[in-house]
């Protein structure tokens, strides 16, 4: 559902209404407040009843909040929808989950410590080795660190963590049918540290990582200065990029593929994809939100679920 005060419920009903072909392959279940979904259908699908099954994870009337306004109650409702969907995926009740945007401040306002979908779902899955990936076609970026302060990046972008992120990214690309993915490693510092003159982290961490990965059989290059890594002439050489921190990868990714980008969590025992944008409080309730990212996230979840079911059948 996402945050009811944001664009989540709106883009869910509008996207599904625009893509009836999804229902030919998947049984679709909406997680969240039935009253909120019904209201969204009435607002944005005139003359249509809500045709999809709703798994009620809370109850809240539409007049209990205002669009575009931070609300602890909305934060709690959004959190409960994500939590229940993840638990149902873990128990095998559903094959994949696709998440609409949640407002982190709203969830925290409800008294629930929350740094993002990725971290919550990984915790519920009991997974320590995971990574966020943004993707759109052949553009794939996995993140060594995500929702932490910039001053803490060098503390968490360790030798082992970068290697783990590269492994998760390689495995995800292999699962898409590319047997020997070409990976690029972003540098931590500007100009890759200029041989230590702009910070020593790349000399001490990222360069040894690249050497180690090559020795382990990875097709990898780097570390690349981040300001030139996302040029088309460079991107065309690689199947995936390892980014050191949130904005290093998110800013160029959203400039290149905002309306079709998908957020995935690598390393989980379940399939989870998401939009690559936020709750867009400034346009919530106006029917203006682009549904392209959500549709792309649904397609990838569907593709991965079908592949997993096919694999399970083959193994059986």
């Amino acid at each position: 559902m996402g945050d009811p005060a944001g664009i989540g419920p709106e883009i869910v009903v509008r996207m599904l209404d625009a893509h009836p072909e999804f229902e030919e392959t998947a049984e679709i279940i909406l997680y969240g407040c039935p009253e909120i979904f019904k209201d969204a259908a009435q607002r944005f699908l005139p003359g249509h009843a809500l045709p999809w099954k709703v798994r009620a994870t809370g109850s809240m009337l539409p007049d209990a909040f205002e669009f575009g306004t931070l609300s602890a109650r909305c934060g709690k409702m959004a959190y409960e929808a994500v939590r229940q969907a993840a638990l149902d995926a873990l128990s095998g009740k559903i094959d994949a989950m696709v998440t609409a945007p949640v407002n982190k401040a709203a969830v925290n306002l409800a008294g629930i410590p929350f740094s993002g979908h990725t971290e919550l779902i990984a915790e519920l899955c009991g997974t320590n080795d995971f990574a966020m990936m943004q993707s759109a076609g052949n553009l794939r970026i996995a993140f060594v660190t995500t929702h932490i302060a910039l001053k803490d990046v060098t503390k968490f972008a360790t030798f082992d963590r970068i290697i783990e992120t590269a492994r998760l990214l390689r495995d995800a690309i292999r699962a898409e049918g590319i047997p020997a993915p070409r990976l690029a490693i972003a540098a931590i510092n500007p100009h890759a540290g200029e041989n230590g003159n702009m910070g020593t982290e790349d000399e001490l961490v990222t360069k040894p990582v690249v050497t180690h990965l090559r020795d382990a059989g990875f097709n990898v290059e780097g570390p690349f200065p981040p300001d030139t890594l996302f040029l088309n002439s460079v991107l065309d050489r690689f199947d995936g990029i390892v980014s050191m921190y949130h904005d290093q990868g998110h800013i160029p990714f959203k400039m290149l593929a905002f309306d079709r980008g998908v957020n995935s969590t690598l390393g989980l025992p379940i399939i989870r994809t998401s939009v690559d944008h936020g709750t867009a409080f400034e346009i919530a309730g106006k029917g203006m939100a682009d549904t392209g990212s959500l549709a792309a996230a649904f397609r990838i979840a569907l593709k991965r679920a079908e592949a997993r079911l096919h694999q399970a059948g083959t193994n059986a």
Side-chain angles (χ1 to χ4, degrees):
M1 176 180 69
D3 191 304
I7 62 172
E10 167 192 335
I11 61 173
V12 168
V13 300
R14 287 178 48 225
M15 184 279 290
L16 291 175
D17 183 65
H19 293 280
E21 70 274 13
F22 290 156
E23 296 181 75
E24 297 174 5
T25 305
E27 178 187 358
I28 298 169
I29 304 170
L30 310 185
Y31 280 71
C33 304
E35 302 91 344
I36 300 301
F37 281 123
K38 289 177 183 176
D39 179 69
Q42 290 170 358
R43 286 174 181 270
F44 304 110
L45 309 178
H48 292 262
L50 186 69
W52 305 285
K53 178 181 177 182
V54 178
R55 172 80 150 89
T57 59
S59 179
M60 182 170 64
L61 297 175
D63 60 5
F65 66 93
E66 295 182 14
F67 286 116
T69 302
L70 202 64
S71 162
R73 191 171 181 189
C74 286
K76 187 175 189 302
M77 293 295 104
Y79 172 87
E80 291 299 339
V82 175
R83 179 179 176 276
Q84 189 59 61
L87 292 175
D88 283 359
L90 276 169
S91 67
K93 293 179 181 178
I94 59 175
D95 297 305
M97 60 183 290
V98 182
T99 54
V102 168
N103 189 290
K104 298 178 183 65
V107 180
N108 282 285
L109 195 63
I112 303 169
F114 182 77
S115 58
H117 281 102
T118 302
E119 293 81 4
L120 168 63
I121 297 171
E123 180 182 355
L124 291 171
C125 292
T127 302
N128 294 320
D129 297 329
F130 63 93
M132 175 192 294
M133 180 177 78
Q134 298 275 23
S135 63
N138 291 327
L139 176 61
R140 307 172 188 88
I141 306 174
F143 294 84
V144 175
T145 67
T146 49
H147 301 127
I148 62 172
L150 189 58
K151 66 181 178 62
D152 293 329
V153 168
T154 55
K155 184 191 309 180
F156 291 99
T158 63
F159 183 90
D160 289 342
R161 173 59 185 166
I162 299 171
I163 290 172
E164 177 63 18
T165 304
R167 182 189 67 79
L168 291 170
L169 178 59
R170 181 197 61 177
D171 291 350
I173 299 172
R174 281 178 170 176
E176 294 184 25
I178 299 175
R182 301 162 300 168
L183 303 184
I185 306 294
I188 295 175
N189 295 305
H191 298 194
E194 288 264 358
N195 296 316
N197 292 309
M198 292 186 183
T200 59
E201 289 83 5
D202 292 297
E203 295 296 318
L204 299 175
V205 181
T206 58
K207 288 183 180 180
V209 160
V210 172
T211 300
H212 177 88
L213 289 172
R214 284 176 178 163
D215 291 343
F218 283 68
N219 186 351
V220 61
E221 295 182 37
F224 287 92
D227 59 348
T228 58
L229 179 54
F230 295 91
L231 299 176
N232 287 333
S233 58
V234 180
L235 288 175
D236 289 344
R237 295 165 47 198
F238 298 101
D239 302 300
I241 294 171
V242 175
S243 173
M244 294 299 134
Y245 57 92
H246 188 281
D247 284 8
Q248 184 186 67
H250 277 250
I251 291 173
F253 180 85
K254 291 182 179 181
M255 291 182 70
L256 292 168
F258 182 77
D259 60 344
R260 55 192 174 88
V262 178
N263 183 325
S264 303
T265 307
L266 308 181
L268 297 179
I270 65 174
I271 297 168
R272 177 259 171 165
T273 65
S274 179
V275 295
D276 73 337
H277 56 73
T279 49
F281 274 178
E282 67 279 5
I283 60 170
K286 299 178 181 179
M288 298 167 54
D290 193 304
T291 63
S293 179
L294 184 61
F298 195 99
R299 288 190 189 96
I300 288 182
L302 190 60
K303 180 179 179 181
R304 291 177 183 173
E306 289 177 323
R308 181 171 289 188
L309 289 171
H310 175 73
Q311 183 64 39
T314 301
N315 291 340

